[in-house]
Amino acid sequence: RIMRLNRVYAVLSGINTAIVRIHDRAELFKEACRVAVEEGNLAMAWVGMFDRDSGLVTPVAVSGNESGYLAGINLTVKDVPGNCRLLATALRERRDVVSNDVEHDPDMEHLAAEALARGFHAVIVLPLILNDQAIGVLVLYASERDFFDAEELRLLRELAGDLSFALDYIAKEEKLDYLAYYDVLTGMANRTLFTDRCNQRLRAAREIGCKCAVVLIDVERFNQINETFGRAVGDHVLHTTAERLMAVAADSGSVARVGGDHFAIVVDRIEDAAIVAHLLDHSVHPRLCEDIDIGPDKLGISCKFGIAIYPGDGMDAEVLMTNAEAAL
């Protein structure tokens, strides 16, 4: 019993250590499974993510003697042939579910033969809960019957709670990172990320001795559109303009929303400003200035452009953007 508890403590300690140092969801899942098998001496461990809309669970990390075991299970919460009842119950009821005797458990009847062939005699399904919703599972298999008793269960519930907390932290960290570098309305890079990407392209241009252009785009009469039709229509105009701009851009990483109604493009490897003007006049301007549907009506859109050329108009992104804005 002490040996079993020590194994569970080793898993809890190892995974909590991983939570502290790993801030990537996929890497954390992979390490959690590895720790469970190598340090906890469990037969197998896997993590699956749950899609509430489809009811399906997708394995994202596994360690141990899997050898095709999961492929033979219908990993769904729906009551269909070939599903795992333990998995379905854990996700539906958001609680851990244990089978301490796989061979004689009626909930494992159609899975028992394959499980026993791999040395699985006990299994626990631990739901991962985020915002009071089950988002996934951690499933652990032991090679001994009656492995998961009261004390082990308490520790493993604590482990599932720690993993869920880590997932919440990672999700919030990812959201903060997104907000720092992307525009929420359009999904485009914001001014900060565009400046960084632009400087990278300028360094590449400097190395090969070519020119670059920074183009600012202004949606004309945007304030009037907002005041006349309301913010929802204004947001629709910006979102549609962003989609059109990304569609005509050769590289989605070259475009950004850098202000309220201002967008930007960086154009690589050009010979002179006339080439950029020709590109804008024949490809970008006609697409951006197509009418936009607003309910039963159409809204006429017009844009103007300001161009700054590296290196003549500036040596870095900020100077080029300032000069492109002046050109507007």
Side-chain angles (χ1 to χ4, degrees):
R1 169 155 175 72
I2 289 171
M3 288 173 65
R4 288 205 312 268
L5 276 172
N6 280 341
R7 285 161 60 184
V8 176
Y9 272 115
V11 173
L12 184 62
S13 174
I15 292 179
N16 281 337
T17 300
I19 287 171
V20 171
R21 63 182 175 83
I22 299 174
H23 292 168
D24 176 80
R25 194 180 285 103
E27 282 299 313
L28 179 59
F29 290 154
K30 183 179 177 181
E31 180 66 4
C33 293
R34 185 200 67 78
V35 166
V37 171
E38 295 183 11
E39 299 183 24
N41 200 26
L42 292 170
M44 187 176 84
W46 66 278
V47 173
M49 298 308 293
F50 176 50
D51 183 336
R52 284 195 297 275
D53 293 332
S54 66
L56 298 177
V57 178
T58 304
V60 293
V62 64
S63 185
N65 185 23
E66 194 271 335
S67 60
Y69 177 71
L70 296 178
I73 307 174
N74 195 341
L75 298 172
T76 177
V77 296
K78 298 176 182 177
D79 188 14
V80 296
N83 78 330
C84 176
R85 295 172 194 165
L86 304 181
L87 182 77
T89 301
L91 287 169
R92 282 199 300 258
E93 301 181 12
R94 289 173 294 172
R95 63 177 179 87
D96 52 86
V97 180
V98 179
S99 174
N100 263 321
D101 187 357
V102 167
E103 185 175 4
H104 300 104
D105 188 339
D107 284 337
M108 290 289 291
E109 56 183 351
H110 63 280
L111 302 176
E114 292 294 328
L116 294 170
R118 293 165 175 78
F120 307 156
H121 290 273
V123 57
I124 182 170
V125 182
L126 298 153
L128 304 177
I129 309 296
L130 190 59
N131 298 325
D132 206 34
Q133 297 287 337
I135 62 164
V137 288
L138 170 64
V139 189
L140 305 173
Y141 299 79
S143 54
E144 307 99 319
R145 285 188 301 175
D146 302 317
F147 184 87
F148 303 107
D149 68 6
E151 184 63 14
E152 283 85 352
L153 281 174
R154 183 186 68 80
L155 293 171
L156 290 171
R157 287 182 189 125
E158 182 181 331
L159 170 60
D162 291 344
L163 268 178
S164 297
F165 175 81
L167 294 178
D168 186 35
Y169 177 84
I170 290 171
K172 289 176 179 175
E173 193 175 50
E174 288 174 343
K175 185 175 182 180
L176 287 173
D177 287 344
Y178 182 85
L179 292 174
Y181 294 107
Y182 289 90
D183 173 56
V184 176
L185 176 64
T186 63
M188 280 181 155
N190 62 14
R191 188 182 186 102
T192 301
L193 182 55
F194 179 78
T195 301
D196 181 63
R197 287 176 172 174
C198 186
N199 280 323
Q200 291 177 24
R201 290 168 184 257
L202 294 178
R203 285 193 290 271
R206 192 173 300 125
E207 289 176 3
I208 62 176
C210 69
K211 296 179 180 179
C212 287
V214 171
V215 182
L216 286 188
I217 304 166
D218 174 50
V219 180
E220 295 191 283
R221 301 180 297 109
F222 181 73
N223 288 338
Q224 185 181 344
I225 292 170
N226 249 348
E227 292 168 4
T228 305
F229 298 101
R231 182 167 180 174
V233 171
D235 286 350
H236 177 57
V237 168
L238 293 174
H239 194 271
T240 303
T241 301
E243 287 183 334
R244 291 174 175 178
L245 187 56
M246 286 191 283
V248 298
D251 173 11
S252 61
S254 67
V255 296
R257 182 186 176 199
V258 295
D261 59 345
H262 283 186
F263 297 86
I265 315 173
V266 57
V267 185
D268 292 317
R269 302 186 182 190
I270 60 167
E271 294 179 10
D272 55 47
I275 293 174
V276 183
H278 180 82
L279 172 68
L280 296 175
D281 192 36
H282 288 80
S283 299
V284 180
H285 183 268
R287 184 73 178 97
L288 295 189
C289 294
E290 292 175 5
D291 290 350
I292 295 177
D293 293 327
I294 51 169
D297 302 316
K298 291 185 180 295
L299 181 64
I301 295 296
S302 61
C303 297
K304 61 182 178 182
F305 302 81
I307 306 170
I309 305 294
Y310 164 86
D313 298 328
M315 298 296 291
D316 61 55
E318 285 294 351
V319 173
L320 288 169
M321 289 175 71
T322 299
N323 287 331
E325 194 162 8
L328 272 177

